[in-house]
Amino acid sequence: MSNAKLAKEFEKIVGAGGVLHTESDLHSYSYDSAVLNPAVPSLVIKPTTTAQLGPVTRLCNEHGLPMTVRGAGTNLSGGTIPHPGGVVVLTNGLNKILEINEEDLYAVVEPGVVTAQFAAEVAKRGLFYPPDPGSQAVSTLGGNVAENAGGLRGLKYGVTKDYVMGIDFFDVNGDLIKSGSRTVKCVTGYNLGGLMVASEGTLGVFSNIIFKLVPPPKASKAMMAVFDDIDKASETVAAIIANHIVPCTLELLDHVSIKYVEAFTKAGLPTEAQAILLIEVDGHPAEVADDAEKVVNICNKIGATSVHAAETAEERESLWFARRNALPALARARPTTVLEDATVPRSQIPAMIRGVNKIAEKYNIAIGTFGHAGDGNLHPTILCDKRDKEEFHRVEEAVNEIFEVALSLKGTLSGEHGIGMAKSKWMVKETSQATLDYSLRMKRAIDPKGILNPGKIIEVS
């Protein structure tokens, strides 16, 4: 069927204004935040109700049309780059918060709700939604679930999967599948909602999501520890965890990152430092005071040149504003920014950082490393220019070696960005061929025609 005829079929479901097909529209949705080549879809569909998602999915399946569901497009592994000539289904207009239940501590949302807006609405009710990915100002909750997004608070509070109580989603036939419950405990049938988390749009199309909420901490204390040696900073991370202190947030910025972040944010970061740790402890006021004192002692013992505690809310916000702007700041340095998220056991943070620095020296490339050091999730960020083919070849070789180092330290390819298209070739090295074969059999059973976001995680032949 021609694109024009298909457009008419989709218009019957979403209306004439819900089908985008101009050249500019198609190119606008041909890429995401990954450094990968774009792929132009044939149509872009913009539903206005979640009920329209089922018929849209059914129509795609009937015609064997590859479909990629897209929220805000902040994906860093190519998970929302469409199949060439396929269909992009936008969910950012499905942005209703359907329920916030203050008695039973849950919320029900549509997939297009923006993460930070949701957290703010929850906070107005005196409750707390902890997951806070760096893209939270624009990323959507559906995308967070599809990627199992993390964030700065993951060390203590966990990641998106830890807050998903249930998901309603459409299968390839357009039928609504219900999983999970509004109850704290639910073991009714297979954990299909759990299967959807981190599935990157390859197994179903989200309709509604039930999220767990928690009470907010009563107190917190933010600190900045400054180091003249990055090894000391990374050893401090391991020591804090080894002493059974679990901060809310434990972030690291190396010298390269500090330099660019300070130039961008003017937050008062010490540009002469080789590394800084941004640390926050929270909980009961007495616990916070005790943990903060222990953290300061550990930092000083290992060799911090200074440890400064934020005395005001404004000072605290300035520190976290600087950290949340690490990627935008680094992205200003060169035309291309390759951000990775290899993750290792926390005790291996010192070894991972040493490995990254050796790789940067070996390939003569600039790497700024920052990230969630407390949970082992680092973001080595390569500053380069993709148009320089010789340089970018060195970058690709460096990325391969970064993954090799992470896996040799019993780590993982991705802590929060997902596999998408960027890391699929590495899957067999971390898992096994039997694991991939099992996953393929499951994928084929659920999606026989392979229409749901093909080419992501694993390839269906």
Side-chain angles (χ1 to χ4, degrees):
M1 187 179 290
S2 69
N3 280 354
K5 289 182 178 178
L6 279 170
K8 292 295 184 185
E9 291 298 308
F10 282 113
E11 285 176 2
K12 292 177 184 177
I13 301 170
V14 299
V19 180
L20 311 179
H21 48 73
T22 67
E23 185 177 358
S24 60
D25 284 330
L26 299 181
H27 280 279
S28 295
Y29 298 105
S30 66
Y31 60 93
D32 59 16
S33 295
V35 184
L36 296 170
N37 294 326
V40 181
S42 61
L43 295 170
V44 176
I45 313 300
K46 190 169 185 177
T48 54
T49 69
T50 56
Q52 294 170 347
L53 290 170
V56 165
T57 306
R58 184 184 307 117
L59 185 60
C60 287
N61 192 48
E62 287 173 354
H63 293 280
L65 277 173
M67 63 177 287
T68 297
V69 179
R70 177 187 177 107
T74 56
N75 188 280
L76 287 159
S77 59
T80 46
I81 295 178
H83 191 277
V87 172
V88 171
V89 179
L90 302 178
T91 58
N92 54 350
L94 308 176
N95 53 12
K96 294 184 178 68
I97 299 175
L98 302 173
E99 181 183 2
I100 297 178
N101 191 302
E102 299 173 49
E103 291 182 320
D104 292 321
L105 304 185
Y106 69 80
V108 185
V109 303
E110 293 180 340
V113 174
V114 172
T115 311
Q117 292 175 6
F118 173 63
E121 287 300 316
V122 166
K124 290 177 184 177
R125 314 291 184 90
L127 296 172
F128 186 35
Y129 178 71
D132 59 338
S135 58
Q136 63 177 343
V138 290
S139 68
T140 62
L141 291 169
N144 290 178
V145 174
E147 296 295 329
N148 192 22
L152 277 66
R153 300 189 191 109
L155 169 59
K156 181 174 182 177
Y157 289 102
V159 296
T160 302
K161 70 177 181 181
D162 300 305
Y163 296 86
V164 175
M165 297 172 67
I167 304 176
D168 291 353
F169 61 93
F170 292 100
D171 67 8
V172 290
N173 300 312
D175 294 327
L176 186 64
I177 311 302
K178 293 181 175 289
S179 174
S181 169
R182 288 163 169 77
T183 59
V184 174
K185 296 178 180 178
C186 176
V187 291
T188 305
Y190 294 117
N191 183 10
L192 300 178
L195 186 63
M196 291 298 113
V197 176
S199 64
E200 302 190 22
T202 63
L203 301 177
V205 178
F206 303 160
S207 174
N208 295 336
I209 307 163
I210 308 170
F211 284 111
K212 177 179 73 173
L213 306 175
V214 297
K218 296 183 181 301
S220 64
K221 173 68 76 173
M223 296 161 277
M224 178 173 65
V226 181
F227 295 87
D228 58 10
D229 182 341
I230 195 167
D231 283 346
K232 293 177 183 177
S234 58
E235 288 164 13
T236 300
V237 171
I240 289 171
I241 302 302
N243 277 271
H244 300 171
I245 302 166
V246 183
C248 163
T249 310
L250 178 46
E251 300 288 304
L252 178 143
L253 283 81
D254 73 354
H255 176 69
V256 174
S257 302
I258 295 166
K259 181 177 65 173
Y260 285 111
V261 170
E262 177 58 21
F264 183 52
T265 66
K266 311 298 183 188
L269 302 184
T271 54
E272 75 285 355
Q274 290 303 303
I276 60 172
L277 295 179
L278 300 178
I279 310 161
E280 183 162 300
V281 292
D282 69 0
H284 187 277
E287 179 187 21
V288 167
D290 186 49
D291 283 350
E293 182 180 359
K294 290 177 180 176
V295 165
V296 170
N297 290 339
I298 291 169
C299 291
N300 288 330
K301 181 179 179 181
I302 294 179
T305 58
S306 67
V307 184
H308 174 73
E311 298 298 334
T312 65
E314 291 75 17
E315 195 174 356
R316 172 185 177 273
E317 288 305 314
S318 179
L319 290 177
W320 296 124
F321 176 76
R323 167 57 188 88
R324 291 190 184 283
N325 278 278
L327 179 56
L330 287 164
R332 301 169 73 222
R334 296 289 305 280
T336 307
T337 306
V338 179
L339 175 71
E340 291 302 340
D341 78 321
T343 303
V344 295
R346 292 172 292 201
S347 61
Q348 297 299 331
I349 284 284
M352 185 68 205
I353 290 177
R354 287 193 292 270
V356 169
N357 289 341
K358 287 180 181 177
I359 291 167
E361 184 177 353
K362 175 180 177 180
Y363 289 101
N364 189 29
I365 55 177
I367 302 181
T369 298
F370 67 95
H372 321 303
D375 55 28
N377 185 194
L378 294 176
H379 295 313
T381 306
I382 304 175
L383 312 177
C384 59
D385 187 343
K386 192 177 182 180
R387 296 169 298 184
D388 183 334
K389 290 182 170 53
E390 189 277 329
E391 180 187 41
F392 203 70
H393 175 71
R394 285 185 279 120
V395 168
E396 291 174 324
E397 291 298 311
V399 168
N400 288 339
E401 289 200 20
I402 287 171
F403 289 147
E404 290 279 12
V405 171
L407 294 181
S408 73
L409 296 172
K410 308 301 181 186
T412 183
L413 299 173
S414 178
E416 59 187 5
H417 293 169
I419 299 300
M421 299 165 62
K423 302 176 187 177
S424 56
K425 68 178 181 179
W426 281 87
M427 283 284 287
V428 71
K429 288 200 172 186
E430 179 173 339
T431 59
S432 68
Q433 189 58 51
T435 303
L436 297 189
D437 291 344
Y438 183 93
S439 301
L440 281 170
R441 291 196 298 273
M442 179 184 68
K443 166 70 171 173
R444 291 189 181 116
I446 291 171
D447 178 19
K449 295 182 181 180
I451 69 154
L452 295 175
N453 212 15
K456 313 308 190 301
I457 307 180
I458 46 177
E459 191 68 52
V460 179
S461 58

